[in-house]
Amino acid sequence: MSGLKQMRRNSWAIRSSMNKSNDLLLLLVNLSQLRSHKTIRTLFIEGLNELFRPLTFELVEREPDHGPSFPVATRHAAYGFIVPVNTTQLSEEDSTLLHNAAQMLAVLIDRIEFEEDLELRRATIARVADDRLVELEQTVEQLRQSRNATLNLAEDQALDIAERKRAEEALIAVKEKAEENEKRLRTFINNTKASIGIYDDNMFMVEINDSGKTWWPYLTREQIIGKHITELVPDVDPVLIQQLNHVIQTGERFIDHQHVPSEQFGELVMEFEAFKIPGGFAIITTDITNQKKAEKELITAKERAQENEARYRGLLTNLDTGVVVHAQDTAILLCNPRACELLGLSEEQMKGKVAIDPYWKFIFEDYQPIPLSDYPVMRIIN
């Protein structure tokens, strides 16, 4: 028998003798590439049934009253229990393997649900912010148009009595409409959680909503209106004054994030957005502490996932057993150095090869070719 055939034969013998611990590790490495918890649960149970045959398992929501069970749970959530169907006793070694595997399955599911929930929250926040900004701009434009119409009617002093009366009636209607629009605008502004302050071109406060007034709890609204920004915020950064002047002169938006101490909530992360409006500018202050916290948690989760993947790869690299990981279509995704040594191929040569590749020619001990359906990877997939 040639040296290459002998190495292939040794590879098959080593693969056949891999213990349950390595098989469970390979199963979890494959599942970590998926993004559907339903698929992960199904494939995980199928993998257990294959590894612990003739035992079979199922994933249930409630812990059974009798028999062994293994919780699939993290500190944040519980996803059920893994229970054997056709036995009430397990060896201590199998129980330990199943307990650890259930915990790792819970971590995978928890990570996917966290990423999905975070993405949904970010999309919702962005959509609500865009809708509110559009409504605010539309209301401001309606108010501006109403005020312009009022000025145009007031300037016409040459009308006769009948025309003037009609003009006065029209003026009253427009004023009522303007007051209604202004009331609607004020109601909207006062009910938004963001703090909104409106300043004239000289940086004197001309309007503020209820949320904005909370920045000066010891002043009434009347005491706030008319004050210069440096009177309201004596320690304001001179750089910020320059940036606000730039907004007034160019109309370019300015956005800044600042960390603000809070006696009740600790340190808050606030977003300050300044933009030009007719006759001045507006500053919208939004509490984005939860958003920043969620982004930080997402980064931490991704880093944790990368660390876990690095640990998995480090374990595979240092195993004295040849390990080959296949995709669902049997294509090779990764392999460790020991597998390359046994098969006589480099990692680049092995990646991408499928079970039906003509390069593979596995044989039994009697030198008869092994059917494709009996290849290790085909037996696992099927």
Side-chain angles (χ1 to χ4, degrees):
M1 181 184 298
S2 66
L4 180 58
K5 290 182 178 180
Q6 181 63 39
M7 284 190 289
R8 291 174 179 167
R9 179 182 175 187
N10 291 341
S11 174
W12 167 240
I14 291 173
R15 180 65 184 89
S16 299
S17 64
M18 287 181 63
N19 57 36
K20 294 176 183 177
S21 177
N22 287 339
D23 288 338
L24 278 175
L25 178 60
L26 290 177
L27 175 63
L28 290 167
V29 169
N30 280 327
L31 294 182
S32 68
Q33 309 301 316
L34 305 179
R35 289 297 177 269
S36 168
H37 13 105
K38 181 178 180 181
T39 302
I40 288 175
R41 289 183 175 96
T42 301
L43 294 180
F44 182 80
I45 293 299
E46 291 178 1
L48 290 184
N49 292 339
E50 179 68 22
L51 293 175
F52 292 86
R53 186 180 300 177
L55 298 181
T56 58
F57 300 84
E58 62 181 359
L59 182 60
V60 299
E61 293 183 359
R62 296 184 178 180
E63 183 177 10
D65 296 332
H66 304 286
S69 63
F70 305 92
V72 182
T74 65
R75 291 182 300 174
H76 310 292
Y79 304 101
F81 297 83
I82 295 174
V83 297
V85 176
N86 52 357
T87 185
T88 58
Q89 293 184 349
L90 291 170
S91 68
E92 181 179 351
E93 180 182 357
D94 286 349
S95 296
T96 301
L97 287 175
L98 289 169
H99 175 78
N100 293 337
Q103 294 302 304
M104 296 181 71
L105 174 64
V107 171
L108 290 178
I109 298 174
D110 189 66
R111 183 196 67 187
I112 293 173
E113 289 188 350
F114 174 79
E115 292 177 352
E116 290 176 348
D117 182 67
L118 182 59
E119 186 60 30
L120 178 61
R121 290 185 181 183
R122 292 181 64 184
T124 302
I125 292 173
R127 183 173 64 256
V128 171
D130 290 341
D131 292 343
R132 289 185 176 178
L133 181 58
V134 170
E135 291 176 3
L136 178 61
E137 291 175 345
Q138 291 175 347
T139 305
V140 170
E141 179 61 21
Q142 290 177 0
L143 181 60
R144 185 187 66 80
Q145 294 176 357
S146 297
R147 287 178 176 174
N148 288 341
T150 301
L151 293 176
N152 291 335
L153 290 172
E155 289 175 355
D156 191 0
Q157 301 295 328
L159 297 175
D160 56 26
I161 296 177
E163 293 176 343
R164 186 172 298 172
K165 184 177 181 179
R166 289 194 295 271
E168 290 174 352
E169 292 174 351
L171 178 60
I172 292 173
V174 170
K175 286 184 176 179
E176 291 177 350
K177 182 65 175 178
E179 291 173 355
E180 180 182 350
N181 289 338
E182 185 173 358
K183 183 179 179 180
R184 185 183 298 113
L185 175 60
R186 181 173 295 280
T187 300
F188 168 76
I189 291 177
N190 284 332
N191 282 278
T192 184
K193 293 183 179 180
S195 301
I196 301 176
I198 300 177
Y199 299 80
D200 62 18
D201 286 332
N202 296 317
M203 299 190 186
F204 286 91
M205 178 78 77
V206 297
E207 188 59 80
I208 190 171
N209 70 343
D210 292 343
S211 296
K213 184 181 173 299
T214 59
W215 288 87
W216 298 279
Y218 303 109
L219 296 179
T220 65
R221 183 175 181 277
E222 290 71 21
Q223 290 173 322
I224 296 174
I225 300 299
K227 288 187 178 296
H228 194 267
I229 190 171
T230 55
E231 296 180 272
L232 296 171
V233 188
D235 57 348
V236 62
D237 190 343
V239 176
L240 177 60
I241 298 296
Q242 296 177 1
Q243 292 166 332
L244 293 177
N245 278 320
H246 184 74
V247 172
I248 296 172
Q249 296 169 5
T250 66
E252 295 181 4
R253 285 177 177 265
F254 166 69
I255 299 177
D256 186 27
H257 294 164
Q258 294 186 11
H259 294 263
V260 179
S262 170
E263 295 181 358
Q264 183 177 2
F265 302 105
E267 186 177 74
L268 302 178
V269 182
M270 309 300 294
E271 180 180 81
F272 297 89
E273 180 178 6
F275 55 91
K276 177 73 174 175
I277 61 174
F281 64 95
I283 297 178
I284 297 179
T285 306
T286 307
D287 184 355
I288 60 171
T289 304
N290 291 335
Q291 177 183 339
K292 289 296 182 181
K293 182 179 179 181
E295 292 175 355
K296 183 177 180 180
E297 290 177 351
L298 176 59
I299 293 173
T300 301
K302 288 183 176 180
E303 291 176 348
R304 190 184 303 119
Q306 292 172 352
E307 291 175 358
N308 290 337
E309 182 178 358
R311 284 197 292 269
Y312 294 151
R313 290 187 177 274
L315 178 60
L316 291 177
T317 300
N318 291 288
L319 279 177
D320 194 35
T321 300
V323 177
V324 179
V325 179
H326 295 264
Q328 187 65 28
D329 62 353
T330 76
I332 294 177
L333 297 177
L334 61 90
C335 56
N336 68 349
R338 182 59 174 160
C340 295
E341 179 184 348
L342 292 172
L343 295 176
L345 296 174
S346 67
E347 183 177 357
E348 291 73 19
Q349 290 173 320
M350 291 181 65
K351 280 188 176 180
K353 287 189 180 295
V354 296
I356 201 173
D357 194 297
Y359 191 88
W360 304 115
K361 295 180 181 179
F362 291 98
I363 60 174
F364 289 112
E365 292 182 355
D366 59 359
Y367 304 102
Q368 295 299 316
I370 299 177
L372 177 63
S373 60
D374 287 337
Y375 280 20
V377 64
M378 297 303 297
R379 294 182 62 183
I380 293 175
I381 292 177
N382 295 331

